[in-house]
Amino acid sequence: AQIECTSASSAILLQASSALAAIEADVSHQKHIISAGGIDPLIAVLKGGSAAAQAFSAQALANAAAYNAADGQDAIVRGGAVPILLALLNVGKAQTPAAMALANVASQNPANQLAIAHAGGIAPLLALLNGRNMEAQVQAASALSELARDNAETQAAIAKAGGIRPLLALLA
């Protein structure tokens, strides 16, 4: 679903995505968001909302991905969010929540780890490690950690992409 933004609808998207991003304290809330069909509208906002609405939607997807693999993580991947989240790694306000969403989508999920790597996710995450936003660096390192966890293919891809030096630089 493509979203057409007028100033009124843009304000509504911003506030609704902000509210959904704020609902993170209790895992049961994520279950309700997912079962109510909330993943696809959040992905639609990623595609066509303002930068702030995109950031809030990425955060809401990060929260949903933390819920569980079958309901949260896989629904986000099936909905086509991975390439959009990767593109948002270049958008200031959305960098941190997009990296967090990718980390949570990849967490303990080998199929999703590969989906992110095959979509070209390693290079933009590595680039984010060199940025000035410390929280974005933290989330990018977390995403790379989750991509590499128990997955020889993604570990090799991170090393081949030159990921060792920037990760070591963060330790200095």
Side-chain angles (χ1 to χ4, degrees), residues 66-166:
Y67 172 63
N68 75 26
D71 293 336
Q73 294 173 329
D74 294 344
I76 291 166
V77 172
R78 279 191 312 272
V82 169
I84 304 163
L85 290 167
L86 291 173
L88 290 176
L89 294 175
N90 295 315
V91 177
K93 289 182 179 184
Q95 289 177 328
T96 300
M100 180 186 287
L102 290 165
N104 290 350
V105 164
S107 180
Q108 299 179 5
N109 192 319
N112 290 348
Q113 292 165 346
L114 292 173
I116 293 167
H118 292 163
I122 293 170
L125 288 167
L126 289 173
L128 205 51
L129 294 179
N130 296 318
R132 293 189 175 139
N133 180 334
M134 189 179 300
E135 187 57 31
Q137 289 177 325
V138 168
Q139 293 305 324
S142 175
L144 288 163
S145 172
E146 292 301 338
L147 286 175
R149 188 172 316 281
D150 300 323
N151 192 318
E153 184 177 338
T154 55
Q155 291 168 12
I158 291 167
K160 184 177 179 181
I164 304 302
R165 282 194 189 268

Side-chain angles (χ1 to χ4, degrees), residues 12 23 27 77 101 111 144:
I12 292 167
I23 300 172
V27 171
V77 172
L144 288 163

